[in-house]
mmCIF file of all heavy atoms in Angstrom:
data_model
loop_
_atom_site.group_PDB
_atom_site.id
_atom_site.type_symbol
_atom_site.label_atom_id
_atom_site.label_comp_id
_atom_site.label_asym_id
_atom_site.label_seq_id
_atom_site.Cartn_x
_atom_site.Cartn_y
_atom_site.Cartn_z
ATOM 1 N N GLY F 95 170.162 38.152 155.270
ATOM 2 C CA GLY F 95 169.480 37.010 155.926
ATOM 3 C C GLY F 95 169.947 35.616 155.489
ATOM 4 O O GLY F 95 170.986 35.557 154.739
ATOM 5 N N ASP F 96 169.493 34.701 156.284
ATOM 6 C CA ASP F 96 169.883 33.222 155.937
ATOM 7 C C ASP F 96 169.264 32.628 154.734
ATOM 8 O O ASP F 96 169.702 31.655 154.221
ATOM 9 C CB ASP F 96 169.677 32.387 157.074
ATOM 10 C CG ASP F 96 168.264 32.197 157.466
ATOM 11 O OD1 ASP F 96 167.333 32.733 156.804
ATOM 12 O OD2 ASP F 96 167.884 31.681 158.420
ATOM 13 N N GLY F 97 168.325 33.448 154.142
ATOM 14 C CA GLY F 97 167.642 32.930 152.997
ATOM 15 C C GLY F 97 166.620 31.920 153.027
ATOM 16 O O GLY F 97 166.036 31.590 152.054
ATOM 17 N N THR F 98 166.406 31.427 154.294
ATOM 18 C CA THR F 98 165.529 30.241 154.467
ATOM 19 C C THR F 98 164.277 30.598 155.330
ATOM 20 O O THR F 98 163.302 29.945 155.074
ATOM 21 C CB THR F 98 166.233 29.128 155.241
ATOM 22 O OG1 THR F 98 166.540 29.585 156.591
ATOM 23 C CG2 THR F 98 167.523 28.727 154.528
ATOM 24 N N CYS F 99 164.257 31.591 156.076
ATOM 25 C CA CYS F 99 163.125 31.792 157.012
ATOM 26 C C CYS F 99 161.988 32.479 156.314
ATOM 27 O O CYS F 99 162.200 33.054 155.099
ATOM 28 C CB CYS F 99 163.570 32.540 158.318
ATOM 29 S SG CYS F 99 163.789 34.288 157.973
ATOM 30 N N HIS F 101 160.690 35.330 156.736
ATOM 31 C CA HIS F 101 160.995 36.788 156.549
ATOM 32 C C HIS F 101 161.871 36.978 155.389
ATOM 33 O O HIS F 101 161.632 37.826 154.497
ATOM 34 C CB HIS F 101 161.581 37.430 157.805
ATOM 35 C CG HIS F 101 160.762 37.216 159.057
ATOM 36 N ND1 HIS F 101 159.562 37.724 159.151
ATOM 37 C CD2 HIS F 101 161.138 36.371 160.126
ATOM 38 C CE1 HIS F 101 159.136 37.377 160.344
ATOM 39 N NE2 HIS F 101 159.958 36.515 160.855
ATOM 40 N N CYS F 102 162.880 36.160 155.248
ATOM 41 C CA CYS F 102 163.720 36.090 154.048
ATOM 42 C C CYS F 102 162.935 35.808 152.763
ATOM 43 O O CYS F 102 163.181 36.513 151.757
ATOM 44 C CB CYS F 102 164.887 35.194 154.249
ATOM 45 S SG CYS F 102 166.276 35.552 155.417
ATOM 46 N N CYS F 110 165.838 38.905 159.581
ATOM 47 C CA CYS F 110 166.035 37.524 159.769
ATOM 48 C C CYS F 110 166.684 37.333 161.015
ATOM 49 O O CYS F 110 167.623 38.004 161.483
ATOM 50 C CB CYS F 110 166.976 37.077 158.666
ATOM 51 S SG CYS F 110 167.451 35.295 158.865
ATOM 52 N N ALA F 111 166.276 36.258 161.802
ATOM 53 C CA ALA F 111 166.789 35.998 163.190
ATOM 54 C C ALA F 111 168.190 35.394 162.958
ATOM 55 O O ALA F 111 168.903 35.366 164.027
ATOM 56 C CB ALA F 111 165.890 34.962 163.811
ATOM 57 N N HIS F 112 168.710 34.978 161.828
ATOM 58 C CA HIS F 112 170.012 34.441 161.628
ATOM 59 C C HIS F 112 170.728 35.278 160.718
ATOM 60 O O HIS F 112 171.569 34.807 159.936
ATOM 61 C CB HIS F 112 169.973 32.957 161.183
ATOM 62 C CG HIS F 112 168.977 32.141 161.925
ATOM 63 N ND1 HIS F 112 167.713 31.722 161.534
ATOM 64 C CD2 HIS F 112 169.116 31.586 163.314
ATOM 65 C CE1 HIS F 112 167.188 30.957 162.547
ATOM 66 N NE2 HIS F 112 167.927 30.944 163.519
HETATM 67 ZN ZN1 ZN A 401 166.033 34.392 157.414
#
Side-chain angles (χ1 to χ4, degrees):
D96 62 7
T98 66
C99 74
H101 307 296
C102 286
C110 177
H112 310 108

